[in-house]
């Protein structure tokens, strides 16, 4: 298992020598039981497991520790070493025993397109996963029971902890078989799957809680102290860095405890150009005299690391002073030699996660003396700045809904912003606070200097509009728009939410509403900024007033946490899938689970049957046109794209079939195609447009796209009444065609026209201007009965937008709207299409901070 971990991250390298070192340590640490050989063997086994696990897990990032522990548990179950407790009196079944077919379903998470979803409260992707679950022998009746007992299942579905609640009907017995129950959680509530997996490990693995909670009670200095006891002059300690972590401070504490003096017996070298000579001199002296040497950021000198590896080998062969220790630090990097990584004790030191921990860390970055010397206004603004920093650090947790890209915000941005703040306050001499200047410096320069996406920059600006204002000098609400729809979300007394803010340079009036402490609904989470006070009381306020981490603190809907946890579960099991051994092609029939080749063959045959030999004759269609305008050009383009896609699908599948028949040697591309068909993933060579759909759903989507194009072509290129925009491979081309047609009609330059979206009043006939489109989704909000933006319902991740009328108009767009970015799918980012206008009674800032966007595709 240890040799597979490098598939997760290159830094996870382990050698047999290192393993043997800790193997011997585990024997020494085991409790001797000379009177009972069996008990002594069990003691040795438990000591070995915990010692090796602790050694490895300390070098893993937090997001990878559960993956490692899960794979360890599944490996032991597969070998029959754990999980063999009998269920009832049936000797052939086990309470959490090994069933290959169930395990494959758990890590693959397959879906099946079958009967339409009959339950309005159940997401379509959950129904498709349930349809696939029903194909397993033990779950044949689950789908029908789900429909017949829908109210009881909905109650379980709406639970905050479904993984611990009993399922309705006879399925309540799955509590005795947690592996089977995880399959249900995988289908219906994937956002709770990581919690269910942790609980499964605790109950299945002997002393499972000790592994799940390993080092949970130790701080970074205590862990480092234990690692120093395990290290030797031949075994360096390697710190794998994370943004915001400060490993040197911990090492300084330990150096002082061991009686070492900086610059004399404790050498700190920051690697860079010309520092290799300094580092070698320090290593040579430390090797002979028993000093400590820390080489920081060694990833900056990848070529020199080969020389370092040879030097460490020489020291090991020659024999170093017993007190000689080497410490290395670097970012995760693929250029670090395996020889260095495999010999080291690796440590990850990640900064605290969560808004509360980040806020405390940001505030405590400043010394007590410096804060106490500030005037009351500066203290309040500094607290607001620390809160803004914490929000920017943690918002990335919510994936694309948080930020379109990941940015390297760090404590240095806070430090530099605080210096600018102090300079401005010193120059103001107690006069008017230059809020606009501060917002510009923080949002456009210090933090904005990292941001390259326009909508991410707008998010930062809106946060600063909310925090950096006069109300911050007194007690004010820090959770933006935290009240429910019936109240004044965010309270009253601040700037009114004015006109719309558009990234693309249209009207940019004042946006943002301030809060007024705890006014409004008492049920809504709240966190007021304190009245200026002492340094310690600010810390006490954070500890007592911020009771929980919630998406509402970021201006997001609580549903955002569901999306984040679902993505976390998907990523975890995708990585677990990568750690599995590559199965043999045909299988020997000994397992109840069908072999990957058989599954891939069945999927390939089904795809060929569904898509057939369809081909669009574009040349004949063009000859039939009376006039070939922008819309006809879009149709021809779509047909050509589909022809290329269908040709590639047929070519690759037929080639694979020849490989399965033994008529062709299986190439790397054919093996990759087999894996994708088996795992329900869209092969890379078929990705003619970005998608987040599994393969089964994607094929159905392709069939629907073909039907639309075929119907469009049969009408001699005449635009359909309503165009399914999501069904076009190039939606930008269609939207551009709307502008081109209008520009030709009015005889105006194309760049003077912009697209305007509004909910269509009628779909009975095609509009005289523009086009009707459908198929769009809204994420982060919904439209109410008056087609105005409103908060999403619980667990409502996406909603269908009604049919929209798109027109090309000259001049500015109408007021009272939110300029929602439209993306190809929920990955957002580079899939940006355009902006659409959605009517709103609330300030547009509410929807900006809520990450509200329109999508062409959602699953």
């Amino acid at each position: 298992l240890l040799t597979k971990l490098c598939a997760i991250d290159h830094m996870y390298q382990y050698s047999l020598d290192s393993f043997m070192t800790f193997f011997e340590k585990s024997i020494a640490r085991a409790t001797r039981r000379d009177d009972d050989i069996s008990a002594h063997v069990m003691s040795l086994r438990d000591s070995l497991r915990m010692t090796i696990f602790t050694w490895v897990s300390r070098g893993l990032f937090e997001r990878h520790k559960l993956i490692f522990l899960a794979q360890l548990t599944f490996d032991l179950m597969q070998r029959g070493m754990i999980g063999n407790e009998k269920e009832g009196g049936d000797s052939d079944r086990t309470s959490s025993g090994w069933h290959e077919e169930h395990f494959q379903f758990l890590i693959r998470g397959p879906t099946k397109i079958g009967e339409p979803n009959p339950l309005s409260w159940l997401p379509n992707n959950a129904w498709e996963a349930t349809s696939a679950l029903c194909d397993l022998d033990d779950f044949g009746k689950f789908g029908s029971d789900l429909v017949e007992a829908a109210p009881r299942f909905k109650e379980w579905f709406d639970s905050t902890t479904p993984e611990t609640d009993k399922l309705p009907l006879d399925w309540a017995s799955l509590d005795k078989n947690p592996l089977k129950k995880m399959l249900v959680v995988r289908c219906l509530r994937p956002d709770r799957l990581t919690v269910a997996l942790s609980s499964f490990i605790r109950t299945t693995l002997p002393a499972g809680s000790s592994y799940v909670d390993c080092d949970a009670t130790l701080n970074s200095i205590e862990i480092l102290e234990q690692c120093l006891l395990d290290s030797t002059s031949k075994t360096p300690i390697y710190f794998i860095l994370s943004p915001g972590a400060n490993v040197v401070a911990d090492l300084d504490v330990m150096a002082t405890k061991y009686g070492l003096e900086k610059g004399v017996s404790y050498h700190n070298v920051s690697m860079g150009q010309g520092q290799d000579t300094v580092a070698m001199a320090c290593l040579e002296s430390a090797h002979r005299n028993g000093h400590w040497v820390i080489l920081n950021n060694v990833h900056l000198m990848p070529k020199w690391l080969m020389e370092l590896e040879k030097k460490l080998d020489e020291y090991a062969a020659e024999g170093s002073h017993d007190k000689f220790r080497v410490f290395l630090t670097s970012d995760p990097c693929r250029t670090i030699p395996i020889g260095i990584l495999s010999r080291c004790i690796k440590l990850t030191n990640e900064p605290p996660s969560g808004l509360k921990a980040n806020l405390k860390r940001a505030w405590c970055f400043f010394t007590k003396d410096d804060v106490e010397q500030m005037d009351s206004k500066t203290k309040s603004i500094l607290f607001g700045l620390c809160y803004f920093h914490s929000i920017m650090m943690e918002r990335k947790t919510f994936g694309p809904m948080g930020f379109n890209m990941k940015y390297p915000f760090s404590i240095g941005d806070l430090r530099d912003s605080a210096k600018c703040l102090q300079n401005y306050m010193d120059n103001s001499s107690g006069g008017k606070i230059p809020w606009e200047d501060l917002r510009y410096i923080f949002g456009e320069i210090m933090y904005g200097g990292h941001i390259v996406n326009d909508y991410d920059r707008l998010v930062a600006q809106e946060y600063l509009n909310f925090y950096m204002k006069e109300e911050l000098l007194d007690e004010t609400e820090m959770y933006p728009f935290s009240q429910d729809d019936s109240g004044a979300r965010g309270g009253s007394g601040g700037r009114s939410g004015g006109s719309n803010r558009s990234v693309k340079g249209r009207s940019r009036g004042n946006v943002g509403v301030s809060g007024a402490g705890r006014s409004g609904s008492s049920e809504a989470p709240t966190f007021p900024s304190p009245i200026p006070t002492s340094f310690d009381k600010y810390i006490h306020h954070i500890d007592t007033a911020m009771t929980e981490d919630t998406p509402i603190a970021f201006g997001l809907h609580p549903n955002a946490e569901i999306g984040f946890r679902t993505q976390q579960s998907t990523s975890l099991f995708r990585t677990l899938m990568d750690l599995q051994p590559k199965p043999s092609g045909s299988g020997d029939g000994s397992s109840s689970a069908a072999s990957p080749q058989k599954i891939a063959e069945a999927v390939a045959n089904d795809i060929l049957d569904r898509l057939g030999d369809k081909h669009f004759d574009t040349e004949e269609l063009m000859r039939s046109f009376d006039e070939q305008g922008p819309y006809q050009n879009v149709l021809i383009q779509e047909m050509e794209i589909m022809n290329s896609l269908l040709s590639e699908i047929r070519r690759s599948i037929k080639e694979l079939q020849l490989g399965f028949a033994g008529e062709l040697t299986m190439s790397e591309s054919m093996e990759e195609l087999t894996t994708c068909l088996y795992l329900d993933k869209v092969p890379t060579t078929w990705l003619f447009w970005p998608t987040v759909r599994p393969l089964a759903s994607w094929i159905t989507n392709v069939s629907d796209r073909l039907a639309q194009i075929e119907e469009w072509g049969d009408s001699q290129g005449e635009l359909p009444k309503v165009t399914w925009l999501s069904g076009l491979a190039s939606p930008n081309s269609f939207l551009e065609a709307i502008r081109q047609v209008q520009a030709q009609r009015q005889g105006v330059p194309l760049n003077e026209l912009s697209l305007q979206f509004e909910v269509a009043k009628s779909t009975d006939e095609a509009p005289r201007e523009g086009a009707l489109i459908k198929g769009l989704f809204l994420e982060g909000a919904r439209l109410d009965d008056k087609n105005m933006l409103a908060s999403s319902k619980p667990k409502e991740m996406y909603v269908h937008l009604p049919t929209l009328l798109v027109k090309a108009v000259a001049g500015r767009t109408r007021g009272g709207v939110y300029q929602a970015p439209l993306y190809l799918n929920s990955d957002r980012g580079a899939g940006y299409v355009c902006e659409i206008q959605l009517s709103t009674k609330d300030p547009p800032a509410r929807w900006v901070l809520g990450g509200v966007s329109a999508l062409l595709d959602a699953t």
Side-chain angles (χ1 to χ4, degrees), residues 690-758:
T691 185
V692 293
R693 290 175 178 267
L695 180 59
S697 177
W698 183 81
I699 291 296
T700 300
N701 182 260
V702 169
S703 299
D704 294 339
R705 288 170 183 254
L706 292 172
Q708 172 175 250
I709 295 173
E710 190 170 17
E711 182 181 349
W712 192 356
D714 291 342
S715 64
Q716 303 301 312
E718 182 180 347
L719 190 66
K721 285 183 184 179
V722 181
T723 302
W724 178 35
L725 187 65
S726 305
L728 300 180
S730 181
N732 300 74
S733 299
F734 182 83
L735 296 173
E736 187 65 18
I738 296 175
R739 295 176 65 218
Q740 291 172 353
V741 169
Q742 191 65 19
Q744 292 170 4
R745 286 178 180 173
Q746 297 183 356
V748 298
L750 189 63
N751 60 0
E752 292 183 4
L753 298 177
S754 60
L755 294 174
Q756 178 174 294
F757 295 73
E758 60 186 55

Side-chain angles (χ1 to χ4, degrees), residues 230-444:
D230 290 334
S231 68
T232 67
S233 59
K234 299 179 182 179
T235 310
I237 293 179
Y238 199 115
F239 295 97
I240 306 175
L241 300 178
S242 300
N246 187 2
V247 299
V248 176
D250 290 350
L251 196 58
D252 288 345
V253 172
M254 295 311 303
T256 302
K257 182 175 181 178
Y258 277 75
L260 302 174
E261 183 179 351
K262 282 188 178 181
V264 179
S265 54
Y266 171 43
H267 309 281
N268 188 330
V269 183
S270 295
M271 302 307 297
Q273 187 174 6
Q275 292 299 299
D276 50 345
T277 305
V278 177
M280 282 301 185
C282 291
L283 285 170
E284 193 64 35
S285 172
H287 155 66
R288 300 187 183 282
N289 300 311
H291 298 169
W292 286 10
V293 179
I294 177 172
L295 305 180
N296 292 289
N297 300 316
V298 296
H299 61 283
L300 300 177
M301 304 187 70
K303 294 182 179 179
W304 176 77
L305 289 177
M306 302 301 292
E307 184 178 345
L308 174 63
E309 183 180 359
K310 294 177 183 177
K311 182 62 67 173
L312 293 177
D313 288 337
E314 291 178 13
Y315 291 161
E318 179 183 336
S320 302
H321 194 289
D322 286 343
K323 294 184 178 180
F324 172 55
R325 295 292 184 273
V326 177
F327 306 89
L328 307 172
T329 77
S330 82
D331 292 340
C333 182
R334 299 192 65 85
T335 59
I336 309 297
I338 294 176
I340 288 182
L341 291 171
S342 61
R343 79 174 71 204
C344 294
I345 296 174
K346 287 173 281 294
L347 282 178
T348 56
N349 186 4
E350 298 178 80
S353 61
L355 184 60
K356 183 175 183 176
N358 268 282
L359 180 56
K360 285 185 67 176
R361 181 172 176 270
W363 181 254
C364 293
F365 174 76
F366 303 98
T367 65
K368 183 176 182 179
D369 292 340
D370 289 343
V371 173
E372 297 296 358
Q373 291 175 8
M374 296 177 181
D375 58 52
S376 60
K377 291 182 179 180
T378 307
K379 284 182 182 179
S380 294
I381 300 174
L382 180 64
F383 182 81
L385 180 60
C386 289
Y387 190 84
F388 169 72
H389 169 80
S390 306
I391 287 286
M392 296 296 283
M393 290 289 291
E394 276 297 297
R395 188 176 170 99
K396 65 179 182 293
T397 302
F398 299 97
M401 181 173 272
F403 286 123
N404 284 284
M405 302 175 64
K406 292 184 178 180
Y407 301 107
F409 302 125
S410 68
I411 202 73
D413 300 317
L414 176 63
R415 176 198 62 211
D416 297 340
S417 297
K419 288 181 180 178
C420 291
L421 168 63
Q422 189 63 60
N423 290 338
Y424 265 88
M425 298 303 290
D426 289 344
N427 294 331
S428 68
S429 301
K432 185 178 180 180
I433 297 174
W435 292 112
E436 192 65 34
D437 291 351
L438 292 177
R439 285 193 291 264
Y440 183 85
I441 289 174
F442 301 156
E444 297 288 346

